[in-house]
Amino acid sequence: MSENLLLFGPPGVGKGTQAARLSKVFGIPHVATGDMLRAAIQSYTPLGQRAKGFIDKGQLVPDELVLELLGERLQQPDTKTGFLLDGFPRTVPQAKVLDEMLTKYGKKLDRILVLDAPEEELVRRISGRRTCQACQATYHVDSNPPKASGVCDRCGAVLIQRSDDSEEIIRNRLREFGAKTKPVLDYFTAEKWPVRMIDANGNMDQIFGRIYAAVLLS
Ligand code: ADP
């Protein structure tokens, strides 16, 4: 089934976890600006080098860098039959450019899925998060631990804690979300984009069920 979906919500709400599953179920590519930026950093591209300082401090990366990455990605052929955007747009100017890009490429969003959970739960989720360096699978030390501590179930590589997942940096990321990203939701509403609110409290299966229903039923 072809769907153009967008997952929106604060850091730690579980967008990445849900996106991996949605992308598989709907057969659409997961387009995550955070993953794209980390890949650029790992391969030492000039863009990655410029982005790194912002990410390490828990700040948003300047719009022009993210827009460069995303503009290229949305022109790739695998997005023709649908895509799942995650972590973008994070500012009102990014939302406006997305609007222009979609119009230019003859695409539109079918659903914007807005996930929300209380701030202390977000901090708990992020500070316990462990990520596989090789395949990007994510775990949580308490609520979704790997079978063997520190080792990815899927590919056997070592799990790491992301450098921006320390408590101090998490608080900065949440502040950035409140100041710069939350206003994007007002933009979506004002522009009458197809927003659906999803309660992101509960376990991963419950949250997935709510998202799936919001995509299919509404
Ligand atoms: P999370 O949603 O848990 O914060 P992401 O992987 O989506 O994790 O993002 C990690 C970091 O990458 C952000 O804190 C920010 O610095 C940067 N980033 C990702 N997407 C964007 C974006 N659209 N605009 C600006 N910065 C971004």
Side-chain angles (χ1 to χ4, degrees):
M1 193 191 325
S2 164
E3 296 280 351
N4 294 337
L5 306 177
L6 191 158
L7 274 180
F8 185 90
V13 80
K15 298 186 297 294
T17 306
Q18 298 297 337
R21 202 157 157 188
L22 280 168
S23 148
K24 214 182 274 168
V25 168
F26 288 104
I28 52 179
H30 175 202
V31 177
T33 45
D35 290 347
M36 290 159 75
L37 287 165
R38 281 185 290 278
I41 292 171
Q42 270 196 341
S43 36
Y44 291 98
T45 69
L47 188 150
Q49 293 309 294
R50 285 183 61 200
K52 187 174 184 331
F54 296 96
I55 294 182
D56 286 347
K57 289 194 211 93
Q59 294 170 351
L60 292 186
V61 170
D63 288 344
E64 69 269 18
L65 298 184
V66 181
L67 288 168
E68 188 183 323
L69 279 179
L70 192 81
E72 284 167 15
R73 184 67 187 87
L74 288 185
Q75 289 180 68
Q76 287 172 19
D78 64 337
T79 64
K80 275 214 175 89
T81 51
F83 55 81
L84 173 58
L85 272 182
D86 164 9
F88 183 93
R90 261 178 155 98
T91 64
V92 172
Q94 289 182 12
K96 290 184 177 164
V97 176
L98 175 64
D99 203 355
E100 290 163 16
M101 273 186 203
L102 293 174
T103 308
K104 191 166 133 196
Y105 305 147
K107 299 178 196 281
K108 70 172 185 48
L109 288 173
D110 297 303
R111 295 279 177 269
I112 296 179
L113 303 150
V114 178
L115 305 184
D116 204 11
E119 176 157 334
E120 285 319 306
E121 173 62 9
L122 301 175
V123 174
R124 187 195 73 81
R125 288 184 191 175
I126 309 182
S127 48
R129 172 160 70 185
R130 299 292 180 269
T131 307
C132 174
Q133 248 178 325
C135 75
Q136 313 305 321
T138 55
Y139 300 85
H140 187 280
V141 288
D142 302 319
S143 38
N144 178 31
K147 290 193 185 86
S149 169
V151 179
C152 181
D153 291 350
R154 219 159 68 179
C155 76
V158 171
L159 302 180
I160 54 152
Q161 183 168 32
R162 255 168 57 179
S163 59
D164 59 343
D165 277 353
S166 71
E167 180 148 358
E168 187 199 339
I169 304 296
I170 296 166
R171 301 274 175 199
N172 274 345
R173 285 159 59 196
L174 290 169
R175 260 195 298 276
E176 287 276 87
F177 178 81
K180 297 179 184 159
T181 308
K182 253 197 168 156
V184 174
L185 194 49
D186 300 328
Y187 175 86
F188 289 154
T189 312
E191 296 292 314
K192 303 200 170 26
W193 288 21
V195 171
R196 299 285 177 274
M197 304 302 291
I198 313 278
D199 174 9
N201 284 296
N203 67 39
M204 291 187 300
D205 289 342
Q206 289 167 329
I207 301 166
F208 181 77
R210 292 176 200 139
I211 297 177
Y212 190 67
V215 175
L216 290 187
L217 303 179
S218 49

